[in-house]
Amino acid sequence: QVQLVESGGGLVQAGGSLRLSCAASGRTFSSYAMGWFRQAPGKEREFVAAISWSGSNTYYADSVKGRFTISRDNAKNTVYLQMDSLKPEDTAVYSCAAGIGIVSINKVRYDNWGQGTQVTVSS
């Protein structure tokens, strides 16, 4: 079990950048695949990006590919989401998640979730 705390959200103009961080507690962080998901008002939670425990494999939703970059620092128990060229449709609450096993784009494979951080992109 790990506890996750996101930070770095905020208000940004279209075309701008934000870097989200997700700090994890626990000594077994490096055993977990990590994912970022987002939920906009009135919509279901959707996959954004995921990274394997070693960081060697990454996956992205088509909507963010080429604009967002997921990375992790196991020494700091932290996973990051660098978001560039932001668009108004990226506005959502972004949550990080941790799951034991093979990295997945499916939210049901993650059983540890943070509270989320709001990202708002103005046009």
Side-chain angles (χ1 to χ4, degrees):
Q1 195 85 349
V2 291
Q3 285 73 50
L4 305 172
V5 179
E6 302 94 338
S7 61
L11 173 64
V12 64
Q13 288 188 333
S17 298
L18 283 174
R19 188 195 197 201
L20 305 184
S21 298
C22 173
S25 64
R27 293 174 292 177
T28 59
F29 174 74
S30 60
S31 301
Y32 288 83
M34 299 296 296
W36 284 98
F37 294 79
R38 67 186 182 187
Q39 187 167 21
K43 295 188 176 181
E44 291 194 1
R45 180 177 284 173
E46 65 174 4
F47 168 75
V48 176
I51 189 167
S52 61
W53 67 270
S54 66
S56 59
N57 296 300
T58 58
Y59 302 89
Y60 297 93
D62 288 343
S63 59
V64 307
K65 201 170 294 183
R67 300 188 297 122
F68 290 12
T69 304
I70 188 171
S71 62
R72 69 188 294 161
D73 186 338
N74 286 343
K76 295 183 178 180
N77 281 13
T78 303
V79 64
Y80 306 97
L81 185 68
Q82 177 66 43
M83 307 187 294
D84 299 319
S85 302
L86 283 161
K87 304 176 181 179
E89 50 264 44
D90 294 319
T91 295
V93 174
Y94 285 71
S95 299
C96 66
I100 287 288
I102 297 174
V103 59
S104 174
I105 67 172
N106 191 337
K107 56 182 178 287
V108 302
R109 297 294 300 270
Y110 296 86
D111 49 12
N112 299 273
W113 291 83
Q115 296 278 37
T117 185
Q118 176 70 46
V119 171
T120 303
V121 185
S122 63
S123 56

